[in-house]
Amino acid sequence: MTTAMVGMEGSIAVAEAVKLANADVVAAYPITPQTHIVESLAELVANGDLDAEYIPVESEHSAMSACLGASAVGARTFTATAGQGLELMHEVLYVASAMRLPVIMVVANRALSGPLNVWGDHSDAMAVRDCGWIQMFAENGQQAHDLTTCAFRIGEDPKVLFPVMVHIDGFHLSHVVEPVCLLKKEQVQRFLPPYNHPYALNPDKPSSMGAFAGPNLYSEVKKAQDFALWATKPAILRAWSQFGKITGRYYQPVEHYQSENAKVLLLTMGSFSETAMSAVDEMRARGKDVGLLRLRLWRPFPFEEIYEAVRNAEILIVLDRCISFGGPGGPVSSEIKAALYPRQRRPKIVSFVG
């Protein structure tokens, strides 16, 4: 069902997915460690392998602003960033989700200053968790390729119309060469219909987007936006199911590894999940009753899947990749505690920041 495996960086695997999706517009500003994604896309456009408008902008804020305009007129739109660049985009991220513009963005997660650090952690991802975007995490180059493709299908679904972030760990995924089964063009054509935004701006039918609203109306709009984001989950599951039927690779909001009836569970996100699998294997070989949960879908948060995954566990260890300053440990741990609080039976939760 798939092509032969090819060795490539995670960044290149992402660019290949964007090419296969036949994106119309790429607005880009280079920043370590995502630069290889947009460099590769620039080459694909220059060589005629991708028929797209490539917009080299002066900053990440401008990149997302250009994406707003492109998506609003009905163009399939992509960008990528990391760390400080994601923070420079911050105010515009809220506009993309509020206007229901399905911009697709891959974030090569990077530590935030100070001190200056270009290596990967999840502080940038957690800083934007409340911006109203769908967010999912990849563990390896194959998943980076697959989930980027899925992001177009999910975000552009007329019942969704939300921007989507795919998180890949900086350097651990973006710069590591791994074997990847690239999707075939005919597979993507079966999976990804042409983008047709039902409310695209049209000069023949002038309209306004994002106009002024007072406090009363603003509250109603934000409540509607939150309701709509929660309502995207069935479409996400449908897209992953159809992708699995076409490729044989299935994705779930919470994925398990040797977790059935394990009394001690570790919960991870991103590339450290594969290291955790090896650790679980070693401990299982020594007779330790441990298992692993991998959190794939971060927004909308998969409450029911978390409930089901931990119902038989006695201890749940949550590995965070950043600190919630002044808060109770890490942000993922805080979310898990809040999610499980209404349940009478819940495991002891241990927060670990690494």
Side-chain angles (χ1 to χ4, degrees), residues 9-78:
E9 282 186 354
S11 294
I12 309 304
V14 168
E16 288 293 321
V18 177
K19 181 187 79 171
L20 287 167
N22 198 26
D24 299 311
V25 173
V26 177
Y29 188 84
I31 181 173
T32 303
Q34 75 82 13
T35 304
H36 291 185
I37 298 175
V38 295
E39 282 182 345
S40 179
L41 286 169
E43 290 181 5
L44 291 169
V45 172
N47 294 338
D49 296 320
L50 173 61
D51 183 13
E53 291 295 326
Y54 189 94
I55 308 174
V57 294
E58 68 270 21
S59 73
E60 290 86 0
H61 187 284
S62 299
M64 186 51 60
S65 298
C67 286
L68 295 187
S71 184
V73 297
R76 177 167 285 165
T77 306
F78 177 84

Side-chain angles (χ1 to χ4, degrees), residues 5 9 33 52 70 82 89 119 147 153 163 180 196 201 232 258 261 263 270 272 286-287 292 294-295 299 306 316 331:
M5 284 190 170
E9 282 186 354
M89 286 181 177
W119 292 91
L147 292 176
R153 167 63 186 268
V180 177
N196 182 22
L201 293 177
T232 64
Q258 301 206 44
N261 296 319
K263 297 305 179 185
F272 279 22
R286 298 203 299 264
L292 174 67
R294 296 130 65 201
L295 191 55
R299 286 293 187 273
I306 288 291
L316 176 63

